[in-house]
Amino acid sequence: MKILVTGGTGYIGSHTVVELQQNGYEVIIIDNLSNSYLSVVDNIEKITGIKPVFEQIDLRDETKTNEFFKKNQNIAGIIHFAALKSVGESVEKPLDYYQNNILSLINILKGQIEFKINNFVFSSSCTVYGQPDELPVTESAPIKKALSPYGHTKQISEEIIKNTSSNANINGILLRYFNPIGAHESVHIGELPIGTPNNLVPFITQTAIGKREMLKIFGSDYNTPDGTAIRDYIHVTDLAKAHVVAIGRLINKKNREKTEVFNLGTGNGFSVLDVIKSFEKISGLNLNYKFVDRRSGDIERVWADTTFANKELGWIAEKNLDKMMLSAWKWEQALEQVKRNK
Ligand code: NAD
Ligand code: WQD
């Protein structure tokens, strides 16, 4: 059974391609390589023994996207990861974010309708909730005003998918990821942040390996037990596995609504200091860090209510924080080894 994975050479996409192949699916990747490398395709093959088909297409290009669908019939479902994802960059270049994330989605959905592909899984984000009033946050929590153009593209995308699927023969699953971290246990694939990382965990591992001088902890005066902000970190392989379940659910028509929404997290909240302590424990190192002002646009705390995903999908995130941090650290060390061998 053929699955199209857009953004499949990216961080979460590549881990999902591996899990799909290991579950017997045939995978075609579309990516424009704007934030990933072609070598990921070979690295996926190193893990699974199967080289996924790769098409370098910019999904903003309606003609090329349509030609792809004409050429590739019998696609059973689409998992749409392709998007720009940097919150800070989206504030500087909002139009690039709206153009890339919304246009790509529209072109994919047009292809779905024209070529009668019924099943669609979308990468959404916990960012759609903003700072929730109640924690853990459930899928029915109100969608608050977006804190960034990036977050807004996810809110708009969710609406576009709901509107489209209610009129067309498309069943959709919107997966709201919390904070994905870590890398594949083989260390053949992982996150490849280009330039200075914005996210906490790559910044921690890059500081520990000596690429960065010091981690700045954004805010020590939050209303949390240790004063630092709280998030729900989830291992990328656990996240990837949920996509295999989601696409299978759609293919086997187990979905209850035309568009279903699931939170993907562990259900546990950890503070920035918890994450650092876990890193220090698994690595045996002392991390160089200091406290600075809060980062603008950051929320104080969020973690998922995963009851719906656990019950309906029969899926549960398995890796705890220490395992996630060990995986992230092994990945950083593997990247350093590759650099030394060059
Ligand atoms: P990523 O940047 O590693 O992967 C996205 C991939 O999409 C990249 O390989 C990029 O080259 C490709 N792409 C972007 N625009 C494209 C276009 N116009 N045409 C074709 N390919 C294009 O990001 P990721 O972390 O793997 O995120 C995947 C998805 O998950 C994104 O939609 C992101 O918004 C969402 N998400 C990510 C996180 C996170 O923290 N990583 C959290 C919540 C949601
Ligand atoms: C985690 C915590 C920071 C870096 C972002 C997006 C969100 C989603 C996931 C896509 C926060 C603190 C960070 C640093 C720090 N992505 N931190 N020093 O902000 O929860 O979410 O990625 O949908 O939309 O906003 O993740 O990893 O950047 O930060 O103290 O150098 O670590 O303030 O409390 P965030 P993050």
Side-chain angles (χ1 to χ4, degrees):
M1 203 160 301
K2 237 189 272 176
I3 306 296
L4 168 62
V5 178
T6 75
T9 43
Y11 174 43
I12 307 169
S14 57
H15 289 80
T16 302
V17 171
V18 166
E19 296 301 320
L20 285 167
Q21 289 183 327
Q22 289 178 336
N23 281 277
Y25 289 102
E26 193 186 324
V27 177
I28 308 180
I29 294 174
I30 288 184
D31 203 296
N32 66 355
L33 303 179
S34 60
N35 197 35
S36 57
Y37 300 92
L38 190 54
S39 54
V40 171
V41 175
D42 295 326
N43 292 336
I44 290 171
E45 188 185 8
K46 282 184 198 150
I47 303 171
T48 62
I50 308 162
K51 192 166 183 159
V53 175
F54 176 79
E55 294 273 358
Q56 186 170 350
I57 294 170
D58 190 326
L59 293 167
R60 287 172 296 185
D61 187 329
E62 187 176 356
T63 310
K64 291 231 170 79
T65 306
N66 189 271
E67 278 165 10
F68 166 86
F69 282 116
K70 264 191 205 134
K71 237 176 46 194
N72 294 276
Q73 308 274 330
N74 303 323
I75 291 173
I78 300 180
I79 308 182
H80 182 53
F81 291 100
L84 297 176
K85 63 159 181 180
S86 164
V87 173
E89 190 184 52
S90 80
V91 176
E92 286 160 28
K93 302 176 186 168
L95 291 180
D96 287 358
Y97 272 68
Y98 288 111
Q99 188 180 36
N100 194 77
N101 295 0
I102 307 298
L103 211 53
S104 299
L105 172 69
I106 291 172
N107 290 337
I108 283 289
L109 288 174
K110 280 190 168 180
Q112 290 221 219
I113 294 172
E114 187 178 341
F115 296 93
K116 301 191 171 32
I117 304 166
N118 302 332
N119 305 311
F120 184 70
V121 176
F122 178 69
S123 298
S124 191
S125 168
C126 67
T127 196
V128 300
Y129 298 120
Q131 176 61 66
D133 299 326
E134 282 174 35
L135 287 167
V137 61
T138 66
E139 290 83 352
S140 56
I143 301 297
K144 302 250 180 94
K145 186 174 160 35
L147 294 166
S148 69
Y150 164 74
H152 198 204
T153 69
K154 291 294 171 194
Q155 295 179 341
I156 297 169
S157 297
E158 287 200 358
E159 285 305 310
I160 291 174
I161 296 161
K162 282 180 196 159
N163 295 341
T164 308
S165 65
S166 67
N167 288 312
N169 193 12
I170 294 178
N171 292 323
I173 290 187
L174 312 178
L175 298 176
R176 292 180 180 155
Y177 316 153
F178 282 65
N179 288 53
I181 60 170
H184 194 266
E185 58 179 5
S186 66
V187 296
H188 286 310
I189 55 170
E191 191 170 11
L192 290 164
I194 295 168
T196 310
N198 298 311
N199 294 117
L200 177 64
V201 173
F203 212 107
I204 290 177
T205 55
Q206 288 196 7
T207 305
I209 210 115
K211 276 191 205 156
R212 312 272 155 212
E213 199 195 327
M214 182 183 289
L215 171 78
K216 293 179 183 144
I217 299 181
F218 300 134
S220 54
D221 57 351
Y222 283 109
N223 185 20
T224 60
D226 65 23
T228 64
I230 295 177
R231 299 287 184 273
D232 185 340
Y233 298 90
I234 173 168
H235 193 272
V236 64
T237 300
D238 281 331
L239 194 63
K241 287 180 175 161
H243 292 75
V244 180
V245 180
I247 200 77
R249 178 179 175 88
L250 291 173
I251 289 169
N252 296 315
K253 309 224 174 303
K254 295 267 165 60
N255 52 304
R256 298 196 179 183
E257 316 263 339
K258 289 219 81 184
T259 312
E260 294 181 317
V261 185
F262 294 100
N263 281 343
L264 296 183
T266 63
N268 302 309
F270 290 104
S271 73
V272 177
L273 282 174
D274 290 332
V275 175
I276 293 172
K277 272 188 218 132
S278 165
F279 176 77
E280 290 184 329
K281 184 170 115 193
I282 60 90
S283 66
L285 300 169
N286 285 322
L287 193 76
N288 195 16
Y289 64 84
K290 67 171 180 185
F291 293 101
V292 299
D293 287 346
R294 293 178 182 196
R295 181 171 66 179
S296 116
D298 269 356
I299 58 163
E300 183 168 272
R301 46 172 118 194
V302 69
W303 61 92
D305 186 325
T306 59
T307 314
F308 189 51
N310 298 156
K311 240 175 76 186
E312 275 295 315
L313 297 179
W315 163 92
I316 190 157
E318 283 167 2
K319 289 198 167 49
N320 65 22
L321 185 61
D322 287 350
K323 285 201 174 129
M324 294 190 237
M325 294 310 290
L326 185 60
S327 149
W329 183 224
K330 282 188 177 161
W331 171 243
E332 190 67 58
Q333 289 172 306
L335 287 178
E336 188 63 14
Q337 197 56 48
V338 170
K339 208 174 88 188
R340 279 206 205 115
N341 293 343
K342 269 188 185 163

